[in-house]
């Protein structure tokens, strides 16, 4: 609410804000408390930066904002978009008050304050942009990777976020504690606020110091030169070595620009890790363009998943999936899994569905998307 904006910030950008505040305050680790979609962002932060998260607390939050065949909460996309437009049309008045805090919705002073609060926080167009972005949120895939102490608080009769959405988070985050608070309010500010505070204080002051996590969620990038064997034969050993030197410099330049971490370089390809999928996609597109200008065609694959850290090296199934995605990528193309696409909703990046594939040894099909400009 400190800056007036016309576009909504992505979850990745909101996580950057959290890190900036922690750095400015000199805090290496903090307990995160997020309400509604703020809880979703804190959940993704806890999975991505476990060493900076002492504990995770959510209030009235969710992992996904739309119905799905295996997720019966909320409404369809069409219904959600209609609700967004209806709210924008009535912006300036006490929009959503009957849903978010029905316990005091009839109080004229509260209604006046709520309307002013909304007007001061965002314009109608900015609020609509935020709501449209929020309905695209889906971080279900990161829930099992969270290793910090977690408390899920949820109003029993919440009209904005169904109770089941909170239970879903608690069921899928290892060892999470789920507490229902008997109220109809989505906002924790009025009815039963003392109870919310009690649960938070007890959880934080009664917890032992969390152990350092050996796992984290990362977006992994594999790059590969198209036709490298033919190029090596054509140029000879010295000529191909010169080409690799130029190639490596170009890739490392883009990794530095987009805060990618080089993990390994084997032959003509790179393995890199990113703390945000949007930056990984932008870096991949920049690498394709930079190498193309040098006459080098490459393919790149991206996947977001949990990695185990051992002696500074990444391990886990996520690396195999990312390498598999890269192998399926078209020449001069960037192919991503759905775990990369879903968190960047609202970022302006474009995708074309590239079909579903099955990786041997894994039970599920993986939906793949090609990045388009």
């Amino acid at each position: 609410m400190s800056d007036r904006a016309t576009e909504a910030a992505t979850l990745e950008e909101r996580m950057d804000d959290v890190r900036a505040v922690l750095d400015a305050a000199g805090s290496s680790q903090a307990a995160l408390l997020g309400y509604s979609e703020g809880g979703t962002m804190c959940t993704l932060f806890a999975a991505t930066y476990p060493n900076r998260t002492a504990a995770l607390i959510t209030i009235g939050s969710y992992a996904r904002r739309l119905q799905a065949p295996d997720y019966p909460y909320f409404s369809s996309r069409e219904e959600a978009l209609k609700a967004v437009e209806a709210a924008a049309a009535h912006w300036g008045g006490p929009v959503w008050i009957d849903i978010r805090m029905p316990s005091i919705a009839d109080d004229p002073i509260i209604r006046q304050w709520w309307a002013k609060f909304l007007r001061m926080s965002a314009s109608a167009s900015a609020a609509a942009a935020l709501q449209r972005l929020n309905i695209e949120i889906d971080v279900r895939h990161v829930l099992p990777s969270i290793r910090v102490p977690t408390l899920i608080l949820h109003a029993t009769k919440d009209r904005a976020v169904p109770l089941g959405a909170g239970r879903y988070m608690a069921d899928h985050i290892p060892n999470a504690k789920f507490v229902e608070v008997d109220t109809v309010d989505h906002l924790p500010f009025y009815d039963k606020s003392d109870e919310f505070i009690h649960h938070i204080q007890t959880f934080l002051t009664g917890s032992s110091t969390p152990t350092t996590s050996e796992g984290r969620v990362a977006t992994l990038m594999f790059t590969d030169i198209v036709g490298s064997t033919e190029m090596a034969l054509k140029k000879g050993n010295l000529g191909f070595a010169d080409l690799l030197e130029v190639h490596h410099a170009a890739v490392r330049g883009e990794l530095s620009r987009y805060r990618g971490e080089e993990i390994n370089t084997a032959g003509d390809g790179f393995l890199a890790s990113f703390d945000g999928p949007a930056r990984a996609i932008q870096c991949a597109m920049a690498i394709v363009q930079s190498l193309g200008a040098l006459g080098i065609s490459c393919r790149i694959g991206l996947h977001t998943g949990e990695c185990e850290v051992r002696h500074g090296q990444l391990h886990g199934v996520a690396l195999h999936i990312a390498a598999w995605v890269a192998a399926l990528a078209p020449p001069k193309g960037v192919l991503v899994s759905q775990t990369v696409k879903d968190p960047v909703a609202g970022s302006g990046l474009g995708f074309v569905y590239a079909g579903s594939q099955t990786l041997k040894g894994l039970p599920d099909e993986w939906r793949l998307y090609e990045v388009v400009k």
Side-chain angles (χ1 to χ4, degrees):
M1 290 169 59
S2 58
D3 292 320
R4 181 72 66 166
T6 56
E7 296 182 358
T10 65
L11 293 183
E12 186 175 334
E13 290 169 330
R14 298 181 216 180
M15 289 198 298
D16 285 344
D17 290 342
V18 174
R19 289 193 303 109
V21 171
L22 288 175
D23 292 343
S27 174
S28 62
Q29 190 180 67
L32 301 181
L33 188 153
Y35 149 77
S36 203
E37 74 270 15
T40 311
M41 183 275 292
C42 290
T43 298
L44 188 58
F45 188 100
T48 307
Y49 303 104
N51 292 334
R52 302 207 69 174
T53 309
L56 169 66
I57 305 169
T58 70
I59 301 175
S61 191
Y62 52 86
R64 177 184 168 94
R65 194 64 176 78
L66 293 175
Q67 278 185 357
D70 57 343
Y71 188 82
Y73 313 111
F74 296 102
S75 61
S76 67
R77 183 184 306 278
E78 293 72 19
E79 292 172 316
L81 289 174
K82 287 181 181 178
V84 170
E85 300 308 318
H90 295 89
W91 200 255
V95 177
W96 302 317
I97 193 170
D98 296 331
I99 295 175
R100 279 162 171 72
M101 40 186 169
S103 70
I104 41 83
D106 293 332
D107 187 319
I109 296 177
I110 297 297
R111 294 179 70 86
Q112 185 179 28
W113 166 80
W114 178 244
K116 183 179 180 181
F117 171 78
L118 295 181
R119 291 195 302 270
M120 293 180 67
S121 65
S123 64
S125 60
L130 176 63
Q131 289 297 306
R132 283 192 288 268
L133 185 147
N134 286 344
I135 65 175
E136 301 296 337
I137 286 175
D138 189 344
V139 298
R140 291 178 296 171
H141 63 282
V142 309
L143 300 182
S145 65
I146 293 174
R147 295 292 183 269
V148 303
T150 302
L151 172 64
I152 309 292
L153 296 169
H154 212 103
T156 302
K157 304 178 185 68
D158 194 327
R159 299 181 184 179
V161 177
L163 180 65
R167 281 206 184 106
Y168 181 95
M169 293 181 70
D171 288 343
H172 289 78
I173 296 176
N175 303 313
K177 181 180 180 181
F178 182 68
V179 176
E180 291 184 35
V181 178
D182 188 16
T183 177
V184 295
D185 285 0
H186 179 58
L187 273 72
F189 308 151
Y190 289 101
D191 189 36
K192 305 295 176 63
S193 59
D194 289 343
E195 189 171 338
F196 279 104
I197 293 171
H198 167 73
H199 288 300
I200 293 167
Q201 287 180 331
T202 302
F203 177 73
L204 291 178
T205 60
S207 297
S208 59
T209 302
T211 58
T212 302
S213 172
E214 294 186 353
R216 65 183 173 95
V217 171
T219 300
L220 303 171
M221 170 195 289
F222 274 93
T223 76
D224 178 55
I225 296 178
V226 177
S228 58
T229 302
E230 291 80 359
M231 293 176 68
L233 292 173
K234 181 178 179 181
K235 291 181 175 292
N237 290 338
L238 291 178
F240 190 65
D242 289 341
L243 181 141
L244 284 182
E245 187 173 343
V246 172
H247 166 271
H248 287 17
V251 172
R252 286 179 174 132
E254 298 301 343
L255 289 177
S256 176
R257 179 182 172 193
Y258 289 97
R259 293 187 0 221
E261 178 185 358
E262 179 181 335
I263 303 299
N264 193 12
T265 307
D268 58 359
F270 274 74
L271 165 61
S273 171
F274 295 80
D275 58 9
R279 272 190 296 275
I281 294 171
Q282 292 162 349
C283 183
M285 296 174 67
I287 289 173
V288 170
Q289 184 175 359
S290 296
L291 293 180
L294 298 171
I296 302 173
S297 175
C298 77
R299 57 169 59 91
I300 298 179
L302 299 172
H303 173 69
T304 299
E306 183 182 11
C307 303
E308 186 178 354
V309 183
R310 295 181 189 171
H311 309 295
Q313 294 296 316
L314 297 181
H315 302 268
V317 176
L319 275 80
H320 297 283
I321 297 174
W324 170 68
V325 173
L328 296 173
K332 299 182 180 180
V334 178
L335 194 67
V336 307
S337 68
Q338 188 161 0
T339 62
V340 177
K341 172 184 172 291
D342 287 345
V344 300
S347 65
L349 295 167
F351 301 90
V352 173
Y353 178 56
S356 298
Q357 299 282 346
T358 301
L359 179 59
K360 185 177 180 179
L362 294 179
D364 300 322
E365 280 194 337
W366 293 84
R367 294 173 66 86
L368 303 177
Y369 298 84
E370 186 175 355
V371 181
V372 295
K373 294 181 179 180

